[in-house]
Amino acid sequence: MQQPERVMRAIHAMKERGSSKLQVISDFDMTLSRFGCNGRRCPTSHNILDNSRVISEDGKKKLKDLLHHYYPIEIDPNRTLEEKRPLMVEWWTRAHELLAQQKIQKGDIAQIVRESDVMLRDGFTELFDQLHKHSVPMFIFSAGVGDILEEIIRQANVFYPNVNVVSNYMDFDDSGVLTRFKDPLIHTYNKNNSVLQGTAYFQQLSTRTSIILLGDSMGDLTMADGVPSVENILKIGFLNDKVEERREKYLDAYDIVLESDETLDVVNGILRYIL
Ligand code: TMP
Ligand code: MG
């Protein structure tokens, strides 16, 4: 924390305002899901599809090539957001086109998720249970694949009615085969009002003026920008990768930065105090 007093003040103010004023806005991949497990990288929702048995060897190679080309750009602290944005559109567009060529069946999604190595961060049950118990809305804003991430939280038995997701959703034809992804395209650096306009759910949240924001990317910082009257916001960031190079920027941007922490203990502790 760069400003522990600010953090304390925000937490106290949120407790005073109470649960009826609170909402949690969270990224999904590498924030609610784990970055590493058993010394290996955990998959993102895209990677779950990429690594699955329904993708041809040629498709797998092309998707991996895209990842190796664009991921270093995504996390490069020396490039501006303006530089990154068109390149992210390029990555998502090319990846979605490749996935749409693979004849992925809607009916296979649950099995693909079951067979994957995905893991949610330790403490996810407590997080979702606490929010559900106190009717606090949990808004998951993800540049990943909505159909996949919804299946992950469904299989984890935490897809409660207070959880709402805005993400990239697959579009299937009448026989249940993936043909394209629905608009608008959400990538790492357009997670803001530009893609939320018109989503009824987001408008409903305007009275929830205490916000806990969870993310792992510099692009996640704008996820709450559409909320018209924010009284108190606490931004908690997981710094997963390129830690030394990115620490300073993360400490400037997030109120709390978590390193080498595959748990949700910090947010659970704060919520236990507030709720
Ligand atoms: P998030 O906003 O839920 O964290 O999801 C975005 C992540 O997905 C981002 O870190 C990059 C990653 N990604 C892949 O792993 N493979 C892909 O093909 C694409 C387009 C994105
Ligand atoms: Mg993420």
Side-chain angles (χ1 to χ4, degrees), residues 27-32 44 74 188 191 215-217 220 240:
D27 169 51
F28 184 78
D29 290 301
M30 312 292 114
T31 295
L32 292 176
T44 63
E74 182 194 352
T188 327
K191 293 173 126 187
D216 79 294
S217 149
D220 295 328
N240 295 314

Side-chain angles (χ1 to χ4, degrees), residues 2 7 15 53 57 75 97 109 127 149 175 211 248:
Q2 219 159 47
V7 172
K15 185 178 174 69
R53 59 185 163 76
E57 286 310 312
I75 64 163
E97 273 168 16
I109 301 284
L127 174 64
L149 84 84
S175 50
I211 297 179
E248 206 178 302

Side-chain angles (χ1 to χ4, degrees), residues 211-226:
I211 297 179
I212 295 180
L213 180 148
L214 309 175
D216 79 294
S217 149
M218 295 300 284
D220 295 328
L221 289 154
T222 54
M223 292 190 299
D225 282 7

Side-chain angles (χ1 to χ4, degrees), residues 14 17-23 207-211 231:
M14 286 185 193
R17 291 284 185 276
S19 62
S20 66
K21 289 287 174 195
L22 182 67
Q23 59 174 311
T207 57
R208 301 259 174 180
T209 52
S210 305
I211 297 179
E231 274 190 283

